[in-house]
Structures are given as C-alpha cells and as structure tokens.
C-alpha cells in the first residue's frame, strides 16, 4: 500500500548562507538583448534503481527526433560533466509566496503570489515591487492558489497575460489584458477563461504553464491525491495538456478532440524545451523517486502503476530520478546544454547535463541549503537564469528578506 501524506512539497531543515546583496544593474539590458517520507537508499541522484534501465527515445513533440544513448546523430556540442553556478545578484526580496514568473520585454518581471492571488511587477535594476492587480476567483488553500504565469506569444500587440489558478470548484487558465496606463493595482483587465475543469485538491494541483516553440499553450496538472485520475484519459488530472491560445485542442494531439498530450503523471510543476525543441517535465514522486521526463505525445508515464525507473511495459521511464527528500522538483529551465531544476524539500538547484536525450554525467547539486526552498527557474538566454525561492509558502523557514529572486550565471 502506498503512503499518502498531505503536503509532499515538504518542510526541511536547512543552513542558509549569506544572500547576495548586489542588485544586478545590467539585468534589464540582458533581458532586452509534495507527499513523501525520505527516499530509500541504493541509488545515486539521477541514476537508475538497481536492475532497471532508462526508456528508449522516440520522435519528439515538435517533429524532432529524440535520441537515446548513442543512437541517432550526436548533438553539435555536449556540455561538460561538471558545471558551475554563481549568484550574480539579488533582483527582488520581500515577496510573499511567489510562484509563476514571466519576464517582460525590456527586462521587468511579472510575479504571481500564490496565496494573495495577485500579480506584481518587479522593476529591473531597482528591484521595486509594484502590484499591478489581482486575479478574481482565486481560492488559495494547501498547494492551490495563483500558480503559473505566461505571456501571450503576441504579447507585444495583444498585451495578454495567462494565469493558471485554483478556484472554489476547479483549476483553470484565464488571460487578462495588461494595461500599464491604468493606475497601479488596477492594470489587469477582466479575466477571459480559456480553459476550465481541471481537477483541484488540497494537494497536487500542478500549475505550470508555458507557450512552446509551436506557440501552443502547455499546462502541467496534478491528480489531486486521487491517483486513479492519472491513468484516466477522460480526466484532465495527472496530465500534460496542449491547447491553442484560445483553449482548443491542437491538431497533432493524440486525440483530435482532446487537449491531453501525455498522461500517467502525479504532479507536474516544471516544463521546459531544450535547444532541439524537445519538451521536458519535472514531477513529484511519492514514496521513493522524483522524476525528470522527456515528454512525447500520447505516452504513458506510469503513475500510479510505476514510480521512477520501473521498466513497466507500455510505460515510459524517466530520464533521471532523485530521492524524494533531495528534490521535490518544481520549476525547470534549459540553459548551457543542461536542464536546471529547482528543489523545494531538497533546498537545492539541480543540473542535469544532456547529450541529446541522455545524461552525460550524474546530476549535480548547487546552492544546497543556501536559500531554502526553490520554486521557479527561468532562462534569460545564454548563461543566465532567474531563481525564485519559496520560503513563505507555509512550509519553509522564512528569514528577513524572504522570498527572493536571484540572478545566476551558470555553465
């Protein structure tokens, strides 16, 4: 019998280093250019449990071809086995329950507060935080509230901000026009719901949204603690969804009349595309293994029948796994040939260097215990990332200045 524990995102003890006190003055110019006890012993982070093997590659989600191991054409460049992370500056501090982040043209950021249900703008350089408005209908509670943010692919002309949020009855996605000419706090227009009916719960609400290279909207959902939803193709829980910006099913989805893109997920909170337009996702495990998965249309990722690299017929194994107390993964980003993964209970940032779809080395941990729980990672281009902490979400140990957004230089 599997052990179900409310709140697998976990509260973990940590040692905090001194936070970077420098506000990165050139940051704006750069932009313009869960539920588990401790994991088991017997495997290294990112490695396979004894007696199992990684899944094979297959055609990627945007018409690309994935590779597994040494099969297929080698990538143009392979990242080094060992990387590095430097905290270049502190963009903002004093944020409350930050979750989704969306960089604006010109360098400023939009940041969602999960528990307040509001969106704020962070000024590049000065770090000034100004509330631009609240999202009507947000019902915070447990792991729900105002979660992921994304800008329309046509933001320059339509000024639309997309938000994934929990209401009294469901999780849904809405878009709002952002009008900077209006007074602060009143700059968001009325929400236009583009998709509704995603199951909600006290736990496992998913919440990450992102527009892909195909300009379609992707969303990671959770199974709300009702494990059977993940294998039910008629349910929207425990899935990755793909839809048009208007919320309609996309040509090329596994089922023509469905937004379901992949299934068998427990709680997806990280979505990112690599340089070859392959989609990667991070998700929470339960008793044993957190996962990084290569996402392909129509594939079954196993939950609740499989957790980690189980080698089950008809189910895809993850590319990398972690003990649940070392990760509890949320946001991910692609930079410098690696996936970078924020750990909540793990209190660290993971680097997974990849050659095509195969890791070239064991994942590396950075910033362990320095900033506490880590929620979101955003690629800024080149060797720069944004990192958002999550100490004020009710499960951390907040200190003066929490929560923060940091800029990182990585390789």
């Amino acid at each position: 019998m599997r052990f179900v524990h409310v709140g697998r995102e976990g509260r973990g003890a940590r040692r905090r280093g001194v936070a970077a006190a420098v506000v990165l003055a050139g940051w704006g110019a750069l932009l313009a250019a869960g539920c588990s006890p401790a994991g088991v012993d017997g495997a290294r982070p990112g490695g396979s449990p004894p007696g199992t093997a990684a899944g094979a590659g297959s055609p990627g989600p945007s018409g690309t071809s994935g590779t597994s191991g040494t099969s297929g054409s080698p990538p143009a460049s392979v990242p080094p086995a060992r990387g590095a992370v430097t905290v270049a500056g502190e963009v903002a501090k004093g944020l409350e329950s930050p979750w989704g982040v969306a960089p604006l043209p010109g360098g400023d950021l939009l940041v969602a507060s999960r528990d307040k249900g509001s969106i704020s703008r962070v000024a590049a350089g000065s770090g000034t935080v100004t509330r631009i408005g609240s999202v009507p209908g947000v019902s915070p509670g447990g792991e729900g509230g105002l979660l992921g943010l994304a800008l329309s692919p046509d933001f320059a002309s339509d000024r639309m901000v997309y938000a994934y949020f929990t209401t009294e009855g469901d999780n849904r996605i809405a878009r709002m026009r952002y009008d900077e000419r209006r007074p602060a706090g009143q700059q968001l227009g009325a929400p236009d719901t583009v998709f509704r009916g995603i199951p909600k719960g006290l736990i496992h609400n998913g919440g990450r949204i992102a527009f892909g290279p195909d300009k379609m909207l992707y969303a990671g959902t959770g199974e709300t603690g009702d494990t059977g939803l993940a294998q039910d193709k008629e349910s929207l829980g425990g899935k990755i969804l793909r839809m048009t910006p208007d919320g309609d099913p996309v040509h090329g989805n596994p089922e023509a009349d469905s937004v379901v893109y992949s299934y068998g997920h427990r709680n997806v909170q990280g979505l990112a595309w690599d340089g070859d337009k392959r989609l990667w996702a991070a998700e929470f495990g339960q008793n044993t293994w957190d996962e990084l998965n290569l996402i392909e249309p129509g594939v079954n990722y196993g939950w609740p029948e499989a957790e980690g690299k189980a080698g089950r017929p008809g189910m895809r194994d993850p590319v990398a796994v972690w003990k649940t107390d070392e990760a509890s993964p949320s946001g991910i980003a692609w930079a410098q040939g690696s996936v970078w993964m924020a750990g909540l209970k793990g209190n660290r940032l993971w680097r997974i260097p990849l050659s095509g779809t195969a890791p070239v080395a064991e994942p590396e941990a950075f910033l362990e215990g320095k900033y506490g729980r880590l929620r979101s990672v955003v690629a800024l281009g080149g060797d720069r990332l944004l990192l958002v902490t999550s100490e004020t979400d009710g499960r951390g140990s907040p200190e003066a200045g929490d929560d923060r957004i940091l800029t990182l230089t990585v390789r």
Side-chain angles (χ1 to χ4, degrees), residues 39-57:
V40 299
D41 293 329
R44 297 164 295 176
S48 298
T52 63

Side-chain angles (χ1 to χ4, degrees), residues 332-349:
I332 62 173
W334 172 263
Q336 299 296 97
S338 299
V339 171
W340 300 84
M341 186 178 81
L344 288 163
K345 188 177 180 183
N347 288 187
R348 68 199 80 176
L349 178 69

